[in-house]
Amino acid sequence: MNQFMLFAVIAMLLSLGQGAPPISTRETTSIESFKTHFNDIMALISKEEIQNITYEHLKTDEEFKAAIQYMQSKEWLDLIETIRGKSEWIALKKFLKDTSIDVDVGIKCIERLFENVTLHLEPQIPPPKKSLKLFLIDVEQSLPSMKILNYLQEQVTKGVNFNVLFDRLSSDESRQLVQSVLALPEIKRVLKELADMGVNLLDVLSLMYMHFGWGEMAF
Ligand SMILES: *[C@@H]1O[C@H](CO)[C@@H](O)[C@H](O)[C@H]1NC(C)=O
Ligand SMILES: *[C@@H]1O[C@H](CO)[C@@H](O)[C@H](O)[C@H]1NC(C)=O
């Protein structure tokens, strides 16, 4: 979920880059200052509303329940634990953190959402399909897109230059770190499982490759 948000924000930053202020004001924007902007954006999103959507789907959405049940299984948790220990993943996270994007905070938010969830699944034959699709559609619709866009436009007007952030995210160093993570078999597995659950991060990634001028995604 947070990935979606992140890439949505990146896409917005891209379009805003075109209205960048003149060179003279550019140097004033430091990478560290973006932390404040990310926090401001996160503060616009109602955690309570997302929590409510989650509870609603846990009551009524069998495919969502099946997906959450799978994500609480040992198989999935082991996969995630393995990725967490991989040096490639740790290096990418460090790079993003130095770019003021804290992946761990995002992951913690998602974990907290499901922390105390207990599932009541009726055994079904055949078992229901696992899907996060309807849930994500509801979450996306609840996001205050216009407020976020307005906030970003306001910052650009004030002289904040998002190209600084963009240059770093699209740099060669960044590309190499992303490539190494995508080459991990466990990551390939997670992306495939998520795609089966209606979350196609590969589409989001190829869009990112295109926008960053990284060429075809090797996957
Ligand atoms: C979340 O649900 C509670 C209980 O139904 C309700 O009181 C509250 O207003 C809801 N919050 C949002 C942001 O929708
Ligand atoms: C989950 O339950 C624990 C123990 O009851 C509680 O301390 C914690 O705040 C709960 N977390 C959420 C997100 O509700």
Side-chain angles (χ1 to χ4, degrees):
M1 277 156 267
N2 269 56
Q3 270 113 325
F4 273 133
M5 199 52 222
L6 174 63
F7 291 124
V9 169
I10 289 171
M12 282 191 256
L13 297 183
L14 260 180
S15 54
L16 286 167
Q18 288 153 3
I23 300 288
S24 58
T25 58
R26 285 192 179 181
E27 291 86 339
T28 58
T29 309
S30 71
I31 281 288
E32 295 78 53
S33 74
F34 288 109
K35 208 173 228 155
T36 319
H37 300 308
F38 280 115
N39 289 341
D40 288 349
I41 290 168
M42 289 316 283
L44 292 172
I45 299 169
S46 162
K47 315 286 178 302
E48 192 185 306
E49 199 174 345
I50 294 178
Q51 192 114 44
N52 283 5
I53 293 170
T54 308
Y55 291 153
E56 197 49 42
H57 279 264
L58 283 170
K59 269 190 233 152
T60 58
D61 183 345
E62 291 302 316
E63 296 188 348
F64 179 68
K65 281 201 247 180
I68 299 305
Q69 189 182 43
Y70 172 66
M71 291 169 116
Q72 290 179 337
S73 70
K74 183 168 177 348
E75 183 186 330
W76 178 266
L77 295 175
D78 283 350
L79 203 53
I80 300 299
E81 207 46 49
T82 308
I83 292 170
R84 279 198 169 153
K86 292 279 178 191
S87 58
E88 292 88 345
W89 172 247
I90 294 167
L92 178 61
K93 270 198 323 190
K94 184 181 181 308
F95 176 83
L96 288 173
K97 194 163 185 182
D98 293 345
T99 313
S100 71
I101 300 169
D102 197 332
V103 177
D104 282 327
V105 168
I107 293 173
K108 276 212 189 77
C109 280
I110 296 174
E111 282 177 348
R112 212 168 304 137
L113 207 53
F114 298 105
E115 199 170 64
N116 294 332
V117 164
T118 46
L119 288 166
H120 306 285
L121 265 174
E122 302 294 332
Q124 270 184 51
I125 299 164
K129 202 167 90 73
K130 307 189 286 274
S131 176
L132 297 168
K133 209 168 195 163
L134 296 176
F135 167 72
L136 284 177
I137 289 172
D138 280 353
V139 169
E140 271 179 44
Q141 278 173 355
S142 83
L143 295 177
S145 322
M146 279 319 289
K147 272 194 201 160
I148 295 172
L149 201 58
N150 285 342
Y151 169 82
L152 289 172
Q153 260 155 1
E154 227 170 76
Q155 299 311 307
V156 170
T157 314
K158 282 184 190 160
V160 175
N161 179 17
F162 287 96
N163 286 343
V164 176
L165 182 66
F166 201 73
D167 287 349
R168 193 166 148 82
L169 286 176
S170 62
S171 68
D172 206 45
E173 183 186 2
S174 173
R175 187 181 60 81
Q176 279 170 19
L177 288 164
V178 171
Q179 299 269 59
S180 311
V181 166
L182 288 178
L184 294 172
E186 292 83 2
I187 286 284
K188 287 185 197 288
R189 176 80 200 287
V190 162
L191 289 175
K192 190 194 165 296
E193 292 290 347
L194 286 173
D196 287 347
M197 291 190 259
V199 186
N200 204 336
L201 290 181
L202 279 181
D203 284 354
V204 181
L205 283 165
S206 13
L207 202 69
M208 192 180 89
Y209 265 66
M210 208 174 72
H211 278 310
F212 284 173
W214 288 355
E216 284 284 303
M217 182 173 56
F219 189 70

